[in-house]
Amino acid sequence: MRHARDGAAAAMSAASRILVARGKNEPQEMEIPDVAWGQRARDGVWVPTRDGQRIHLGIDATAADTVAQVLRPSLRVFVGVDVDTDIVAQTTAGGVRLLTVIHGPDAPSEFRFPISLADGLALESMPSGGYDVVHLRFGATVGRLYNPWASDSMFRQVKADYTLEGTAVTMRVQHTDAYYPVVADPSYER
């Protein structure tokens, strides 16, 4: 088993390399007082919506009791949340990212993120493959779970998508035949 610090460093290194190679306008890491992270993966994160409500995103994994290594108030790593899997959790200017780092072929291909919505909010499927958080009374989009992207260590796109099962969004990453590590990015913005 990897030492926790080594695991955090490996996860951060993999995520950083792939994010830099993407060369796109990646969300900037930022400390936001309205974002409240739990200690364990299972505890997830409470994030604001545009209308001032909050939703909860959990991490449902084999080792969901894994305690976060807090590197900065806006950056934490959950090492070993599942077989060959770490999560680099980041607060961004508009929300949060749960960079899922897959280290090998034994890692799962599905990752569940239970979502708790405030009364009057619902998830609505979007043509892009993501989900909008919609205020039912006014029909306004107050948050968005963007369609995930995934990339392997050769910077090749890896197929990733979501399915909704009850109150949990499952990210599926087809990492067979990929070059590891693979990084997948489910992200939420208000």
Side-chain angles (χ1 to χ4, degrees):
M1 179 148 189
R2 293 179 290 161
H3 185 272
R5 278 196 189 142
D6 293 342
M12 287 296 302
S13 175
S16 294
R17 277 192 322 251
I18 290 173
L19 290 176
V20 167
R22 281 179 49 89
K24 296 183 180 176
N25 294 331
E26 295 295 328
Q28 295 300 305
E29 180 183 325
M30 182 179 285
E31 186 175 353
I32 305 290
D34 293 343
V35 173
W37 291 96
Q39 280 192 322
R40 301 171 302 156
R42 171 184 323 283
D43 300 333
V45 60
W46 287 94
V47 291
T49 61
R50 278 190 214 135
D51 66 344
Q53 297 188 70
R54 293 165 66 83
I55 68 169
H56 178 259
L57 299 171
I59 301 170
D60 183 12
T62 302
D65 288 326
T66 299
V67 175
Q69 291 182 40
V70 179
L71 305 177
R72 295 186 286 275
S74 55
L75 184 67
R76 59 205 66 239
V77 180
F78 297 97
V79 177
V81 294
D82 215 317
V83 175
D84 284 341
T85 306
D86 303 322
I87 291 184
V88 178
Q90 179 184 44
T91 304
T92 64
V96 295
R97 300 172 89 168
L98 297 170
L99 294 162
T100 306
V101 182
I102 302 165
H103 294 283
D106 294 333
S109 60
E110 293 189 351
F111 306 91
R112 288 177 41 86
F113 302 99
I115 299 178
S116 299
L117 301 171
D119 287 340
L121 298 180
L123 288 176
E124 185 176 306
S125 178
M126 294 285 99
S128 66
Y131 289 93
D132 279 1
V133 178
V134 176
H135 190 286
L136 294 173
R137 183 171 179 201
F138 301 111
T141 297
V142 296
R144 178 167 289 144
L145 186 62
Y146 285 95
N147 187 39
W149 60 260
S151 180
D152 71 8
S153 65
M154 298 299 289
F155 313 114
R156 298 180 311 170
Q157 183 176 351
V158 174
K159 184 170 176 29
D161 61 9
Y162 290 134
T163 61
L164 181 62
E165 302 164 11
T167 60
V169 170
T170 299
M171 177 179 66
R172 300 179 300 189
V173 181
Q174 297 178 14
H175 59 87
T176 305
D177 299 326
Y179 290 92
Y180 297 98
V182 170
V183 174
D185 180 20
S187 60
Y188 166 85
E189 285 190 13
R190 59 178 162 185

